[in-house]
Amino acid sequence: TAMHSDLLHPDLWTSGARRSLIRAAQVATLHQSAEVEPLHLLWALLMDEGRAGMALEEAGVTPAVMADQHVGLATTALEAIESIAATVAWGAVAETIVREARHVAFQSGAADEAGTDHLLAALAWSETDAAQLLATPQADIIAAMAPPASAVVPLPEISATELQLDLRERSVPNLAELYRILDAAANRAREGFRVVEDYARFGINDRHLSEQLKHARHELTAALEAFPQPALLSCRDTLGDVGTSIETRREYHRTDVFDVITAAFKRIQEALRSLEEYGKVVSGDVSRPIERLRYRVYTLEKAVLQTATNRERLADQRLYLLLTDAACPGGIIVVMRAAFEAGVRMFQVREKTWDDRALLEHCRRLRRWTREREALLIVNDRPDLAVLCDADGVHVGQEELTVADARRIVGPDRLVGVSTHTIEQARQAVLDGADYLGVGPTFPSQTKSFAAYPGLDFVRQVSAEIALPWFAIGGIQEANIADVVAAGATRVAVANAITASATPVEAAATMLQSLRGAESP
């Protein structure tokens, strides 16, 4: 829609005002008018869904009123207005109103963008047929949208330049620019994968997570094959990259290794997102595998960082005492006191038959005792009671709540441990976000019966693959703990070995001594 003024520059108007200006020319074209007139602008503002349209509706200026007084333009004809090409030029009077709207916006403090309310106010002040239609008993509704005309300070005249408000044709993508972006994002993703894979492989010796990260890196390589690699390489311009000279203080400072791997994971995710979005220009099929990989990386980030966090959090926890009241003839606090004296700092409440009220009170009593001594208290199977007694965490089995469900109950800060009986369960628990694992049963136990015992072979498998803290469990006694340690365990969970001992202090101390001789994972 041609107008001899810079007033129609897109930066000067809100999106609603721009639509109204385009519609005014469409209405004029529909009306077969020689030029855009003030009444055409009023029709356009009536179709506005923003402030101008609401004000006109409240003032009683409706399409029906307009149709009665503006003969020759039926309201039904406006239904197809959006499909009409606007070919009519703006008349001098209508253009003056548009210029006045910009003045109103400037006076109102909205100098950057003028809206439909400013167009309506300028139209109301004009000496035109459209202004007469706005002279209703509710005209104050319209007048209140802007300062009085007498208060508007005229702006300098703007040089006349013919501009177009028609939408521009979408340009063909510049492939050199696109390939340069894709090449840079691909390099960032590959580099980030190497950083975190090196940590899993060399930093924590975690075969499971190293394999997961390696597979993810290979998936990235396969996905990138959809891009024309020679073209990406030819468009690379490292010397001309303005980003190489932009730096922040933060990027050259890392507090510790945790900072390094956190930053590397974020780098991977950001690069994958860039590949995914710009890859859509090449093909949607290219972006889908990258999107799936990005979601997988979120899971791997959680697993790697939780492994790193919990290795520190449970670094001093070697012997984990599982407690049932019936297994402590001298009293559960007596056994806990003896184990604590020997060096045990992690206890689990395991009562399968107690009613909820009695169990909660029992847990609260043990929580007070452990808190005073800065020891950890875990509640078996019951995340709800763990929260109510303010325990340090919950332990669940393969038949109880999942890690995700338990986490929703206990929150982000409490520990969630998981019993595992196969290497597949152990691997999955790491990806699920467990804070530690129970690995077993290693031997037949007096506290729990199993149809099968994965035994020391399972201990060896976990020792070879998983760096997340884990405790060998099931029938471990002073007589066989050396075999468990030889299989790779550095932590064990026990019950009768201490609770049934006539000298629980000595029993706990002996087992701890055996574990302290094992290499820390």
Side-chain angles (χ1 to χ4, degrees), residues 419-469:
S419 294
T420 61
H421 315 304
T422 66
I423 189 60
E424 291 76 19
Q425 290 176 355
R427 293 168 181 161
Q428 188 59 48
V430 172
L431 299 179
D432 288 342
D435 295 304
Y436 72 87
L437 309 179
V439 172
T442 311
F443 306 107
S445 168
Q446 297 181 30
T447 59
K448 197 171 186 179
S449 60
F450 285 86
Y453 296 88
L456 291 174
D457 286 341
F458 181 33
V459 173
R460 294 186 187 96
Q461 285 179 308
V462 175
S463 175
E465 287 197 28
I466 292 173
L468 185 76

Side-chain angles (χ1 to χ4, degrees), residues 355-370:
D355 63 65
D356 287 359
R357 289 188 180 183
L359 180 54
L360 177 58
E361 181 54 38
H362 179 60
C363 290
R364 283 173 170 161
R365 181 166 66 99
L366 299 188
R367 168 75 285 194
R368 288 191 293 269
W369 190 91
T370 54

Side-chain angles (χ1 to χ4, degrees), residues 386-419:
V387 173
L388 289 173
C389 76
D390 196 24
D392 295 290
V394 64
H395 188 92
V396 294
Q398 291 295 316
E399 293 77 33
E400 282 78 49
L401 293 179
T402 63
V403 173
D405 287 335
R407 181 73 67 195
R408 289 189 183 96
I409 297 172
V410 302
D413 298 325
R414 291 185 175 90
L415 295 165
V416 176
V418 182
S419 294

Side-chain angles (χ1 to χ4, degrees), residues 14-98:
T14 64
S15 58
R18 291 186 65 208
R19 281 195 302 271
S20 294
L21 293 171
I22 294 172
R23 283 174 177 164
Q26 290 172 322
V27 171
T29 302
L30 180 64
H31 191 226
Q32 298 181 343
S33 176
E35 60 184 16
V36 180
E37 300 173 359
L39 278 170
H40 301 137
L41 180 57
L42 181 54
W43 267 112
L45 293 174
L46 273 174
M47 289 183 273
D48 174 56
E49 298 177 353
R51 296 185 62 190
M54 294 174 60
L56 286 168
E57 183 178 355
E58 292 183 38
V61 182
T62 64
V65 171
M66 283 286 290
D68 287 342
Q69 302 209 21
H70 192 194
V71 180
L73 188 59
T75 56
T76 54
L78 294 174
E79 296 176 358
I81 194 73
E82 301 296 343
S83 62
I84 295 174
T87 59
V88 179
W90 282 72
V93 176
E95 185 175 338
T96 299
I97 292 171
V98 173

Side-chain angles (χ1 to χ4, degrees), residues 323 325 328 330-340 347 362 365-370 373:
L323 296 161
D325 189 67
C328 302
I332 199 166
I333 293 295
V334 172
V335 174
M336 290 176 70
R337 186 179 292 116
F340 183 84
F347 302 90
H362 179 60
R365 181 166 66 99
L366 299 188
R367 168 75 285 194
R368 288 191 293 269
W369 190 91
T370 54
R373 291 158 180 79

Side-chain angles (χ1 to χ4, degrees), residues 13 28 57 71 80-81 168 180 230 257 270 276 283 289 346 407 428 435 458 474 492 506 508 520:
W13 302 96
E57 183 178 355
V71 180
I81 194 73
R168 295 174 56 188
R180 189 179 175 199
V257 172
E270 291 162 1
E276 179 186 338
S283 168
M346 191 169 180
R407 181 73 67 195
Q428 188 59 48
D435 295 304
F458 181 33
V492 300
E506 289 78 1
S520 176

Side-chain angles (χ1 to χ4, degrees), residues 276-321:
E276 179 186 338
E277 294 300 326
Y278 286 106
K280 292 173 183 176
V281 180
V282 178
S283 168
D285 292 336
V286 173
S287 290
R288 289 189 182 93
I290 295 175
E291 179 186 29
R292 290 193 293 268
L293 179 58
R294 178 165 56 84
Y295 287 130
R296 186 177 172 191
V297 169
Y298 294 147
T299 297
L300 291 173
E301 176 187 29
K302 177 181 178 180
V304 171
L305 294 180
Q306 283 202 235
T307 294
T309 298
N310 287 301
R311 280 165 58 88
E312 294 184 5
R313 192 175 182 183
L314 298 174
D316 297 329
Q317 305 301 334
R318 297 293 168 183
L319 188 56
Y320 186 5
L321 181 56

